[in-house]
Amino acid sequence: MRACLKCKYLTNEERCPLCMGETTENWRGLLIVLDPLKSEIAKKAKIDIKGKFALSAK
Amino acid sequence: MIFAVRTTAGQEKNVAEMLASKVEREKLDVYSILATENLKGYILVEAENRGVVEELVRGAFKVKGIVPGTTSVDELEHLLTPRKLVEDIEKG
Ligand SMILES: [Zn+2]
């Protein structure tokens, strides 16, 4: 699994399917957003869509 | 509400993914699941109430229990916005 350097979306692709950003294998933390509208954690992390995200990537 | 769930150490991400699949399959009122290297042996589950989390972890592999009480999202701020920490350091 790789993480997008820009939006932290987790994907196996070399380019992020959401924002076309470059992805990296160097990521930490996992946030799975199941209901972006109801999730306070997603709001705090500034994520507004369902999906799996890294907490940090570089 | 955010609950801490105890997991087998080292299996946090696997358990998070497994539980997320269960949420989708059974349409449970779970809003997010967080696994961070800073919190070994635990994941955080955000759900409508404790009963939902109990249903979620019932019979789940590598889950050891639910911690009493809840966590507030403010306590997680430092985990969710790592860039802020860098900015603070740069400001001196
Ligand atoms: Zn992206």
Side-chain angles (χ1 to χ4, degrees):
Chain A
M1 239 352 176
R2 303 172 67 86
C4 173
L5 286 162
K6 258 200 282 194
C7 76
K8 324 258 199 54
Y9 187 68
L10 291 177
T11 172
N12 289 317
E13 307 295 323
E14 299 266 325
R15 285 270 160 187
C16 175
L18 297 187
C19 76
M20 291 309 288
E22 216 182 302
T23 63
T24 173
E25 276 182 343
N26 192 5
W27 58 274
R28 286 171 56 92
L30 170 65
L31 174 59
I32 304 178
V33 176
L34 296 152
D35 189 332
L37 296 177
K38 292 201 178 147
S39 171
E40 286 186 71
I41 296 183
K43 195 153 64 157
K44 233 2 164 186
K46 299 205 190 343
I47 293 169
D48 58 5
I49 56 164
K50 260 182 84 159
K52 297 180 185 175
F53 296 84
L55 292 181
S56 66
K58 47 182 173 163
Chain B
M1 303 176 80
I2 302 169
F3 302 88
V5 171
R6 284 176 55 227
T7 71
T8 304
Q11 294 296 312
E12 301 84 2
K13 288 197 178 100
N14 291 336
V15 173
E17 303 223 43
M18 182 264 294
L19 292 178
S21 299
K22 187 172 176 182
V23 170
E24 306 244 74
R25 239 175 18 244
E26 303 188 7
K27 307 216 192 304
L28 299 174
D29 280 330
V30 175
Y31 309 145
S32 71
I33 302 176
L34 181 66
T36 162
E37 285 81 353
N38 294 359
L39 210 53
K40 296 213 185 308
Y42 294 89
I43 57 171
L44 296 168
V45 177
E46 186 182 8
E48 178 64 25
N49 57 54
R50 192 180 190 84
V52 168
V53 182
E54 283 168 356
E55 193 177 343
L56 176 67
V57 305
R58 189 165 299 132
F61 201 43
K62 309 211 173 162
V63 171
K64 296 168 142 187
I66 310 173
V67 172
T70 60
T71 302
S72 90
V73 70
D74 294 330
E75 294 175 62
L76 305 176
E77 180 129 27
H78 68 288
L79 293 172
L80 301 172
T81 53
R83 258 210 259 117
K84 186 164 188 279
L85 180 63
V86 173
E87 281 165 24
D88 287 344
I89 292 171
E90 282 172 0
K91 274 195 220 132

